[in-house]
Amino acid sequence: MSPSTSPRFFTEREVARHCTKDSCWVLLGTRVYDVTNFLRMHPGGEALILRRSGKDISREIEGPPHRHSENARRWMEQYYIGEVDRHSGSEEAQTLRERRNGHTQTEESSAKKSNSDEEDSMYNRCSPVDMDKDLVDWRKPLAWQVGHLREKYDAWVHQPVDRPIRLFGNAFMEASTKTSWYWVPIVWMPLVIYLSWYCYTTLAKGTSRIEVTSDFSMTVHKYMFPVLFMMGWFLWSFIEYCIHRFVFHMKPPAHNYYLITIHFLLHGQHHKSPFDGSRLVFPPGLASFVVGIFYLSLRSTLPEMLGMSMFVGGLCGYVVYDMIHYYLHYGSPKKGSYLYSLKAYHVKHHFEHQKSGFGITTTFWDHPFKTLIPDENF
């Protein structure tokens, strides 16, 4: 709803009727929110919201046990649809409400007609952003705009919105930044399976050895492959943490247009629109650079079969990382499960603790590096 549009009015009975997965409304005081599209994104699970559908959730927002962040409250405003009229029982009030709603609907219809077909197809399913007051023009590609935000960029990029982002005007460049989640296992898992078979069968020949000294060497048996595989996976978890913390969350200098643009393309756009499903996993082309560097680093520092065995474990860890990251945004894990706690942890990273909580598949590395998000019940 546009800020300049008069609010619609609903009776409490009307609000209470919207209590299903197909139509879920909640109240904050007298303000009505349609959170249907947010159900599966909620870190506490959709059941937590459905139990409170049609009711005032002000106490839950304020806590305890969990006091929602300012970003979470700002996020809620994207689903605002109107006000509840607590005195709507009288015939006069009902008539006034219907007149107001009719007037609002007329305004909304006129506004929709004034938009172009292209703009409608791109934005009509998204949450509202004030086009006149926002720091960027959402009608245009954002990649070349964000660098001009300078010192305002860091605060702007960490105020998430629920709408898709267009990075480039060129259709090919734009398409190259988007990837459906299933392409990650389709591209990389055949390689993981083949290299796993190759490493195991090669080690089974008993010809792979480690030279401890010039006079002494050890045979690497095939039974070592699972150990080397898991060592590679563990190494990837450390790389995952370092990339997320030191590359994706670098704070670009306010005066450097190009570093701000690079940051936004790498990770800033994900924090601005965390539920843009087409940009939750790495495009295989971009990922291949990281995979290639990982492979060459292991091959140059370790004997061939050791390096290859650890590489394939790390590659499998990367695939699992991308799949888990997607699931943390769009999945609904069972309460009390490991993925449930990870989802809550990751959402807190997006909405409240952007300078901590850098682990995705595990919080292990947040402990020694002291970037652990404080535990808090949901």
Side-chain angles (χ1 to χ4, degrees), residues 89-299:
S90 66
E91 183 177 344
E92 293 82 4
Q94 179 75 8
T95 302
L96 176 61
R97 182 176 61 82
E98 289 176 354
R99 286 177 180 173
R100 285 171 173 168
N101 284 344
H103 178 65
T104 300
Q105 289 169 353
T106 301
E107 286 185 351
E108 290 176 347
S109 298
S110 299
K112 286 180 180 178
K113 288 179 181 178
S114 66
N115 293 330
S116 66
D117 292 339
E118 181 182 358
E119 186 177 325
D120 282 342
S121 63
M122 190 170 180
Y123 297 128
N124 60 7
R125 65 183 177 85
C126 307
S127 58
V129 169
D130 193 329
M131 297 292 186
D132 298 321
K133 295 182 180 179
D134 200 52
L135 297 177
V136 297
D137 187 348
W138 286 83
R139 301 176 185 88
K140 299 177 181 179
L142 298 187
W144 313 127
Q145 297 186 61
V146 294
H148 296 295
L149 295 181
R150 300 176 70 84
E151 68 278 354
K152 297 179 182 178
Y153 170 75
D154 190 64
W156 175 85
V157 83
H158 289 120
Q159 294 175 1
V161 297
D162 185 11
R163 66 183 295 118
I165 285 177
R166 185 174 183 90
L167 294 176
F168 300 105
N170 181 275
F172 176 77
M173 291 180 65
E174 177 69 9
S176 67
T177 66
K178 297 182 177 182
T179 307
S180 298
W181 68 267
Y182 50 79
W183 281 112
V184 175
I186 286 176
V187 170
W188 296 114
M189 282 311 294
L191 185 59
V192 169
I193 294 169
Y194 170 75
L195 290 179
S196 296
W197 172 83
Y198 172 76
C199 291
Y200 182 80
T201 55
T202 302
L203 292 174
K205 295 176 182 178
T207 58
S208 299
R209 304 184 67 85
I210 302 176
E211 291 188 6
V212 180
T213 65
S214 57
D215 300 322
F216 178 71
S217 63
M218 296 174 56
T219 301
V220 183
H221 295 283
K222 62 183 179 181
Y223 306 109
M224 282 296 295
F225 174 72
V227 177
L228 295 169
F229 184 94
M230 294 309 299
M231 287 174 62
W233 194 319
F234 183 71
L235 178 60
W236 162 256
S237 71
F238 175 67
I239 295 172
E240 164 198 317
Y241 174 89
C242 290
I243 291 176
H244 191 192
R245 179 180 179 181
F246 298 111
V247 179
F248 291 170
H249 278 272
M250 67 169 182
K251 187 175 181 180
H255 64 275
N256 196 311
Y257 171 89
Y258 297 103
L259 282 181
I260 291 175
T261 302
I262 290 172
H263 177 267
F264 187 70
L265 293 176
L266 283 177
H267 197 61
Q269 47 85 15
H270 174 55
H271 268 263
K272 189 62 183 177
S273 182
F275 295 103
D276 187 346
S278 64
R279 291 194 174 95
L280 286 177
V281 298
F282 279 103
L286 178 61
S288 63
F289 288 101
V290 179
V291 171
I293 293 172
F294 183 53
Y295 171 75
L296 293 174
S297 299
L298 289 174
R299 281 296 305 274

Side-chain angles (χ1 to χ4, degrees), residues 52-68:
R52 296 164 174 79
S53 58
K55 302 174 183 176
D56 191 341
I57 61 169
S58 298
R59 192 189 70 80
E60 284 77 10
I61 292 291
E62 291 296 330
H66 172 62
R67 188 177 189 277
H68 288 66

Side-chain angles (χ1 to χ4, degrees), residues 332-346:
S332 296
K334 184 179 179 181
K335 188 172 184 178
S337 66
Y338 178 68
L339 287 176
Y340 181 90
S341 62
L342 272 186
K343 181 179 176 73
Y345 189 80
H346 189 59

